[in-house]
Amino acid sequence: MSPVVDVADPADPRLDDFRDLNSVDRRPDLPSGKGLVIAEGVLVVQRMLASRFRPRAMLGTDRRLQELTADLQDCDAPYYRVNAEVMAEVVGFHLNRGVLASASRPPELTVEAVIDGARTVAVLEGVNDHENLGSIFRNAAGLGVDGVLFGTGCADPLYRRAVRVSMGHALLVPYAWATAWPRDLNTLRDKGFRIMAMTPDPAARTLADAMAEVGDQPVAILVGAEGPGLTETAMRASDVRVRIPMSRGTDSLNVATAAALAFYERVRFEHPAG
Amino acid sequence: MSPVVDVADPADPRLDDFRDLNSVDRRPDLPSGKGLVIAEGVLVVQRMLASRFRPRAMLGTDRRLQELTADLQDCDAPYYRVNAEVMAEVVGFHLNRGVLASASRPPELTVEAVIDGARTVAVLEGVNDHENLGSIFRNAAGLGVDGVLFGTGCADPLYRRAVRVSMGHALLVPYAWATAWPRDLNTLRDKGFRIMAMTPDPAARTLADAMAEVGDQPVAILVGAEGPGLTETAMRASDVRVRIPMSRGTDSLNVATAAALAFYERVRFEHPAG
């Protein structure tokens, strides 16, 4: 059980993991700084506790402590119990979620570890917006995607905003960074994956047709940033180009929404085991 | 062609439509105030020009004027040409989209006008987040939805943030407010619509099954707010309860994403005419 430590002084250095969360240069979740992973709110803290990211400290109100009691049985990181005013002074703004947890970054997973045994993986290229990244993890978790791979140009999925928007699923859905892009797609192909590149190109196959064709074969779904989309290099390294049937004008959908449609097409009749 | 009027004084009252855009009490897009509709950026201004929302004034840089020249041929609202500094001083922050247009609110459309001839409509209950509302309009436009109806508890789709997130489609996809909720669903039923209520209930039918069953019959897709979902009253007033096959935990997807999956299931093989 986490030891509960009452703290009344917002300057107490034991609270430093949570100080100035919005500060441009001091925020603790920047990889260039402490590189901590920050979970906000009861649900996301619970997910952190269930993840490979082990909390090293928590900061929160008594009310949130009560809500987390069962979850903290097997945790030995301290829970710094404060009132709302102290909490606001430490983090630099009023945070109505009432609880935060910090974790150090564990070693990154390898591509092989993420795809081993996976049926469906998402592969992202150039997705540099934290909100979109977070949404993709949330959609991946909800729609049966087993893992996420990052090609070049992607933002940090452990940035606070990404973790929050993902509802904590950025901590639970395994991900890895490609070491050679797009050559790592060959690793997927060698493992039997069919590699689908999403594009607005009307000459591409519909998601429905392409997904029906693969049946039980493992699938990798490649998506690129909103606007530019996938690079031609990544497209050429894939097996098939797929599109969403679109109407009215030339807008693409938001990248996280487009990815969700592909994930859904894969599981539309029933959710996978697990 | 819009007359171009050079303005150098940020205090010029002709720019009042665009003043203090982020001010809590003075912002011009509040229904309680001027109730103006504000379009931001070249793409959204172009969509406003193509919509039933007729611009009454524009404020922008010379560069954006050049980009809009062709679109402004049939417009007689003035284009107030300013430099970036004047623009920032008027709106209250640096707006890098470089152009704004204002429109008065035209009379609301009726439910009958929106559903007449429609094949697919989205019906929202309690969707009170402007970003989600905007995303739903964007997804509706991209995935062939003909109109949107609002039950109780929905936010204003013409709020600046909603229009921006919708990429201007809040101005183009017709919508109407229900006058009696959920009784207005009977109007849909009388017009031959099959009314599907989205729910996370595992006892509900899958979207795929329910949508296959309706074939060419018009469909109304009901979605409720994230968290509470649809009220039981709205559920009972619908014809069938439908669900997305979900995995891993009890999270629902974001409401705009859930709606997108339903819209997609309706058009997954080909986009509709129009």
Side-chain angles (χ1 to χ4, degrees), chain A residues 47 145 248 251 264 268, chain B residues 47 145 248 251 265 268:
Chain A
R47 292 201 168 129
V145 172
R248 276 193 239 190
D251 274 301
Y264 168 75
R268 54 192 282 274
Chain B
R47 290 197 170 132
V145 172
R248 278 194 238 189
D251 275 301
E265 182 61 50
R268 57 192 280 274

Side-chain angles (χ1 to χ4, degrees), chain A:
Chain A
M1 175 70 193
S2 289
V4 177
V5 183
D6 285 305
V7 179
D9 176 9
D12 191 314
R14 291 175 296 179
L15 312 186
D16 281 355
D17 275 8
F18 309 103
R19 203 169 297 287
D20 299 327
L21 280 187
N22 271 349
S23 159
V24 171
D25 49 353
R26 292 188 309 278
R27 47 187 302 169
D29 61 330
L30 285 190
S32 56
K34 282 187 172 184
L36 295 177
V37 183
I38 305 286
E40 296 167 74
V42 168
L43 181 67
V44 179
V45 170
Q46 286 170 329
R47 292 201 168 129
M48 179 181 271
L49 286 160
S51 79
R52 68 191 182 94
F53 299 84
R54 308 305 303 164
R56 60 182 218 171
M58 285 159 281
L59 173 71
T61 62
D62 184 64
R63 178 168 160 206
R64 299 307 180 205
L65 175 62
Q66 303 312 318
E67 293 173 40
L68 285 165
T69 301
D71 305 282
L72 295 176
Q73 290 307 317
D74 298 325
C75 179
D76 49 20
Y79 188 103
Y80 296 112
R81 182 165 57 183
V82 294
N83 64 32
E85 290 70 36
V86 171
M87 188 147 184
E89 196 152 337
V90 173
V91 304
F93 56 93
H94 182 73
L95 186 124
N96 60 14
R97 289 181 182 79
V99 63
L100 295 160
S102 65
S104 302
R105 292 181 183 229
E108 298 284 0
L109 302 176
T110 63
V111 170
E112 288 73 13
V114 169
I115 70 178
D116 189 40
R119 287 188 67 249
T120 310
V121 300
V123 186
L124 315 184
E125 185 192 49
V127 179
N128 57 8
D129 175 276
H130 291 105
E131 191 162 344
N132 285 338
L133 261 189
S135 297
I136 288 171
F137 272 92
R138 183 178 180 188
N139 297 342
L143 295 165
V145 172
D146 303 301
V148 176
L149 300 183
F150 296 120
T152 49
C154 293
D156 177 15
L158 302 181
Y159 195 83
R160 186 165 65 92
R161 182 174 179 76
V163 173
R164 181 175 71 235
V165 172
S166 82
M167 308 286 274
H169 289 297
L171 309 178
L172 286 170
V173 177
Y175 69 82
W177 293 83
T179 51
W181 181 256
R183 265 191 296 139
D184 276 358
L185 292 175
N186 293 333
T187 309
L188 283 162
R189 195 175 285 108
D190 292 346
K191 296 276 187 181
F193 281 79
R194 177 88 165 160
I195 301 170
M196 297 186 180
M198 293 189 73
T199 169
D201 183 350
R205 309 202 47 190
T206 63
L207 269 180
D209 283 343
M211 214 65 91
E213 196 181 73
V214 295
D216 280 340
Q217 187 182 354
V219 166
I221 296 161
L222 265 68
V223 295
E226 227 170 307
L230 289 168
T231 59
E232 191 53 35
T233 317
M235 293 266 206
R236 273 197 297 264
S238 68
D239 298 319
V240 57
R241 299 179 190 209
V242 299
R243 68 180 170 90
I244 296 159
M246 297 284 294
S247 59
R248 276 193 239 190
T250 57
D251 274 301
S252 62
L253 295 164
N254 166 278
V255 61
T257 305
L261 299 183
F263 303 162
Y264 168 75
E265 182 62 50
R266 179 73 167 160
V267 293
R268 54 192 282 274
F269 276 109
E270 214 36 76
H271 65 83

